[in-house]
Each structure stands twice: as structure tokens, then as C-alpha cells.
Amino acid sequence: MKTISTRRRTSGALLGASALALTAFFSAPAHAAQDATCGVLAPGASATAQAAVDAACSQIGVWYSWGGGHAATPGASYGFYDGSDPDSLHDGERKGFDCSGLMRYAYYRATGKDLLNGTADDQFHSSQASARFSAGQGTAPLLPGDLMFWGSGHIHHVAMYLGGGQMVEAYESGTHIRVTSVRTGGDYAGAIRINGSGTPVPPPANGGTVFETWGTGVRTHRTPSVGSAVVDTFPGPTQVSVQCQQHAETVTAEGYTNDAWAKLADGSWVTNIYIKGPAWLPGIPDCGGSSTPPPSGGSKAFQTWGTGVRTHSEPNVNAGVVDYFAQPTTVNVVCQKHAQEVTAEGYTNDAWSKLTDGSWMTNIYIKGPAWLDGVATC
């Protein structure tokens, strides 16, 4: 059994002689000179949008890497296997961006603010959108810097419009960031224009903890039940002030099932499905209408870090994904074991933690030493 007493920081180079032999193939190329076809190709974009285009174009030739670009600070980072695509098997050795990671980085460089932290689906529902365009409108109303999206029900891809029928994108594993002709067929879902000032919408001034909703036509109710009277309807993503939450009616919507409801500052209720974050919101007290069972199996609570962290059905990144933590959250660890060695965020560790729902996550994303203190071996 191999024990790693502390996380060890790597220099970004692959470890071992066999890995060194592959460096020429898997290493991300140095940022190439900006492609002659990549840039602002039409007038009318804001200064912020033009700066975002320049930032995205500066990454032409860098690897697509699934999960890349979603480190604590926007920028190229090592990705990981997506669990299904053979071309993604080596994303853990490729420093680069996935599609949403590139957009996040571009607008971070343009504004100095992390406006687009999250998946392509999160970005499609972003509260930073100052304008939205349907798929049926095509590219006629678009300006350079607008974000184009694909997906039916759930958004799975995003690219940046350049003008002149061209876009820049991180397309898929095994490819490099590229300029290509726009695609408005298939499951093209429409586009958004990012707030040119880069100034976040102010939060509500009525107490509570601020969260962002997603989706369109989201209703709040008089009681935590979809059958109760409608109090308000949110036509698009907005900010809400959550006072407390409780377990109540189970709701299935948008491919998710959850029995948690959040009580807002105006006394109305909304299912947690439409609030960005884990199913049970971190740091929000129970309203007193439910009795959440304590952590089972002698588990111990820990804080995670990072964005887009996934848990798996087995202690292996190739195993099925069980849950997805868009932001840091609290997890209850039952036990830990040495299993598949993982390299991510500049750390290498073979320790995995089993959570109370039976899923597993690498200890790299749990705050603390590589082998967690006070947690039993599975």
C-alpha cells in the first residue's frame, strides 16, 4: 500500500520516464502567435467584448482539455478524463481549456472579474447577459464577443462569435483551440451578449444569503409545493435572498430531482433545483420544517475547494459521475482508501474519500492533508 503523507506539488511536467517520452505529444504547445483569422471581424462590439475576443484568440493552438480552465483562477489548467470519450483519456496531461473554461478566461482577462465561472449551461443562464438571441435569429444580430450555445434542454457547448460568420472555440478532446465557421443548425440554442461594463448586478438589499437562479419562467410559491399559489415568476436568471431551506415536496424538473426548498426574503418558496449550487445549499439554516438526519456511519464533515468537482461511483476518475459540485461545499466523509492515483491542480494523490451517499471523490479537492485526519480506512 502506498502512502502519500502530503500533497506534492508538481511543476506541470509529467512524472516518470515513460511520461517523459510522451511529453512532446501531450504537452500543451506554447501560445502560438495569434491566428491571422482570429480577431474582431465586425464593428459594433463594446471595448470589453473586443478585449475578450483578443484574449480568446491569444489561446489559438492550445489544447482542448476537459475540465481545463476551471481552476481557482481563470486560465489554462490540466483537465481530466470525461468518463466516455477515448480521446479524453489523456486530458489529465494536457494543459488547456474546455469550451466554458475558455470563455471564462476570456472575460476574466477583459474585465478583471470572474464573471463566467461555471459550465456552458451556467454561462447560458448567466445573470451577466445584457441581451439574449434565439436560435431562430441566427447570426444577424450578433456582435464579436457574443457567446453562442448548443444543447437541447441542457447546454453542452459554447463558443465566441468573431463576426463575419466565424467563431473561436475549444471544440473537443484531442483538438486545439481553433477558429471555425459558425454552426447554427442541429441543437444550436442561441446566444447571449455579456454586460459590457463587467459590473455585477447588485444583490438584493433585504438580508439573507444571495444566490443566483437559472432557467426561464421559474415560479416561486406560497408554500414549498408546486401545487400552491404562485407568488412570483422569474423570466430569466436573477438574484434571490435565501433565508432558510427545508425538505418538503419532491420535485423533478430539468433532469434533476430534489426535495429541498428555499424560503426567500418575501416569504415565498422556490425549489432548490433552480438555485445554483448543491442540492442542499451550503451555509443556509433549516427552516425548522424538516429534520435532516445527521451524517451517518460516523462520518466527518470537510470542506471541498475548486469548481466543477465531480464525485464518482468508484474511486476512479473513469467511473460514472454521481454528483457535480459547481462551487466549494461541505461533504460528509465516511472513510478513505488508497486507489487510483490522480494528478490535478498541480497535486498528485492516490487517496479517495467515500461520502455518505456512497460516491467517491479524490482527496485532492478536500481541504486538509492528503490523508485526512480522523477518518477511518475503508
Side-chain angles (χ1 to χ4, degrees), residues 320-346:
V321 174
V322 176
D323 204 353
Y324 172 90
F325 303 142
Q327 302 290 340
T329 188
T330 301
V331 294
N332 290 303
V333 176
V334 176
C335 58
Q336 60 191 331
K337 68 184 290 186
H338 296 284
Q340 183 192 48
E341 186 172 86
V342 178
T343 297
E345 310 287 355

Side-chain angles (χ1 to χ4, degrees), residues 121 154 214 251-258 273:
D121 192 71
H154 183 81
W214 65 279
V251 178
T252 298
E254 310 287 352
Y256 300 98
T257 297
N258 195 0
I273 288 174

Side-chain angles (χ1 to χ4, degrees), residues 92-300:
E93 292 95 37
R94 293 167 175 158
K95 190 174 185 179
F97 300 89
D98 64 13
C99 62
S100 57
L102 180 63
M103 301 302 108
R104 178 193 181 201
Y105 169 76
Y107 271 93
Y108 175 75
R109 284 284 305 274
T111 67
K113 299 180 177 68
D114 193 6
L115 303 179
L116 297 175
N117 188 1
T119 65
D121 192 71
D122 292 329
Q123 292 173 356
F124 181 70
H125 297 101
S126 173
S127 62
Q128 296 297 334
S130 61
R132 294 183 177 274
F133 308 97
S134 69
Q137 291 177 275
T139 60
L142 301 188
L143 296 174
D146 289 349
L147 304 187
M148 305 177 69
F149 296 89
W150 290 261
S152 179
H154 183 81
I155 300 299
H156 62 79
H157 186 61
V158 58
M160 182 178 291
Y161 187 64
L162 301 175
Q166 299 293 298
M167 65 184 187
V168 58
E169 66 178 348
Y171 182 55
E172 64 180 358
S173 294
T175 67
H176 301 90
I177 294 172
R178 67 183 189 179
V179 173
T180 187
S181 298
V182 298
R183 303 182 297 273
T184 54
D187 62 350
Y188 175 62
I192 67 172
R193 181 165 299 150
I194 299 300
N195 177 5
S197 68
T199 302
V201 178
N206 48 10
T209 301
V210 175
F211 289 86
E212 287 192 354
T213 68
W214 65 279
T216 57
V218 175
R219 294 175 173 83
T220 67
H221 296 268
R222 191 178 304 280
T223 64
S225 168
V226 295
S228 66
V230 173
V231 176
D232 201 357
T233 301
F234 303 143
T238 188
Q239 290 185 316
V240 293
S241 180
V242 177
Q243 309 294 304
C244 59
Q245 60 191 331
Q246 74 177 51
H247 296 283
E249 181 183 60
T250 299
V251 178
T252 298
E254 310 287 352
Y256 300 98
T257 297
N258 195 0
D259 71 346
W261 287 73
K263 187 175 185 180
L264 308 185
D266 65 356
S268 66
W269 296 82
V270 62
T271 167
N272 283 15
I273 288 174
Y274 289 106
I275 299 179
K276 290 183 180 180
W280 187 255
L281 300 175
I284 302 299
D286 191 286
C287 298
S290 59
S291 178
T292 305
S296 59
S299 64
K300 186 174 181 179

